[in-house]
Amino acid sequence: MSARITLHSLQTAPEAARPFLENAQKNSGFIPNLLGILANAPAALETYVTVSALNGKSELTLAEREVVQLIAATQHGCDFCVAGHTAVALNKAKLPQEVVDALRARGELPDARYETLAAFAREVIATRGNVGDATYQAFRDAGFSEGNALEVILGISLATLCNFANVFAQTPLNDELGKYRWQPSA
């Protein structure tokens, strides 16, 4: 499958996008196709890189941030992001396979704290932030702070840029992510 819009390489990307692509190549050994798509709008690519770095500074753990990313990607139907975040969740965040499987299946998570986080993130997306008092209280009762609630929204904002860009562009999956391929269930 080819992308709907130009999938840039280091050689074809606009000059302003090249440093971001070079950095990705250096850090990952390949350029994720998401970045090749975002290179069409260097400001969008820079936003993605900047917000990713800021999201990484949140008080949520990497595993918790990956729960949020996988909730958003599955809710938004972004097969590219589900694959990419599955790789991160399993290999870097060390989330248990059964938690990742439940996230990919849009099911209930077998870990109560992660399920509370996931329920909060799902409701943030579904209500555009108008989360009910019971969901928010459960989130707080699980040990998450007021700041963590805003960090979930930060993560969803990052995911929204990526998810919507990939769905719009019909971004093909990199071969490096092929074993994490995801298809939404009907």
Side-chain angles (χ1 to χ4, degrees), residues 62-115:
L62 176 58
E64 291 165 345
R65 293 192 310 269
E66 288 307 306
V67 168
V68 172
Q69 292 302 305
L70 281 164
I71 288 294
T74 57
Q75 296 295 103
H76 294 148
C78 182
D79 57 347
F80 186 93
C81 289
V82 173
H85 286 287
T86 296
V88 174
L90 291 171
N91 301 320
K92 291 184 180 174
K94 303 299 185 193
L95 273 168
Q97 183 72 52
E98 60 272 11
V99 170
V100 175
D101 290 345
L103 285 161
R104 288 171 56 97
R106 298 180 185 154
E108 187 173 333
L109 307 188
D111 176 288
R113 183 172 165 85
Y114 289 147
E115 176 55 32

Side-chain angles (χ1 to χ4, degrees), residues 71-169:
I71 288 294
T74 57
Q75 296 295 103
H76 294 148
C78 182
D79 57 347
F80 186 93
C81 289
V82 173
H85 286 287
T86 296
V88 174
L90 291 171
N91 301 320
K92 291 184 180 174
K94 303 299 185 193
L95 273 168
Q97 183 72 52
E98 60 272 11
V99 170
V100 175
D101 290 345
L103 285 161
R104 288 171 56 97
R106 298 180 185 154
E108 187 173 333
L109 307 188
D111 176 288
R113 183 172 165 85
Y114 289 147
E115 176 55 32
T116 301
L117 173 62
F120 182 79
R122 284 185 203 106
E123 195 164 326
V124 166
I125 293 167
T127 66
R128 296 179 306 281
N130 193 20
V131 174
D133 291 340
T135 302
Y136 180 55
Q137 189 60 54
F139 181 79
R140 292 301 307 276
D141 289 347
F144 293 104
S145 70
E146 292 176 339
N148 294 149
L150 295 170
E151 291 169 342
V152 169
I153 294 169
L154 169 63
I156 291 168
S157 72
L158 171 63
T160 301
L161 171 61
C162 306
N163 299 164
F164 288 14
N166 281 320
V167 171
F168 164 73

Side-chain angles (χ1 to χ4, degrees), residues 1-107:
M1 178 175 138
S2 62
R4 176 189 255 178
I5 62 176
T6 303
L7 176 57
H8 282 290
S9 67
L10 273 173
Q11 295 73 32
T12 65
E15 191 64 37
R18 288 184 187 157
F20 300 108
L21 299 182
E22 289 168 351
N23 195 44
Q25 175 76 47
K26 184 178 77 174
N27 290 335
S28 300
F30 71 101
I31 297 171
N33 287 341
L34 163 65
L35 302 186
I37 290 296
L38 290 176
N40 283 286
L45 178 56
E46 184 175 1
T47 298
Y48 167 75
V49 170
T50 301
V51 176
S52 291
L54 293 170
N55 190 49
K57 293 179 180 180
S58 105
E59 290 181 7
L60 294 172
T61 67
L62 176 58
E64 291 165 345
R65 293 192 310 269
E66 288 307 306
V67 168
V68 172
Q69 292 302 305
L70 281 164
I71 288 294
T74 57
Q75 296 295 103
H76 294 148
C78 182
D79 57 347
F80 186 93
C81 289
V82 173
H85 286 287
T86 296
V88 174
L90 291 171
N91 301 320
K92 291 184 180 174
K94 303 299 185 193
L95 273 168
Q97 183 72 52
E98 60 272 11
V99 170
V100 175
D101 290 345
L103 285 161
R104 288 171 56 97
R106 298 180 185 154

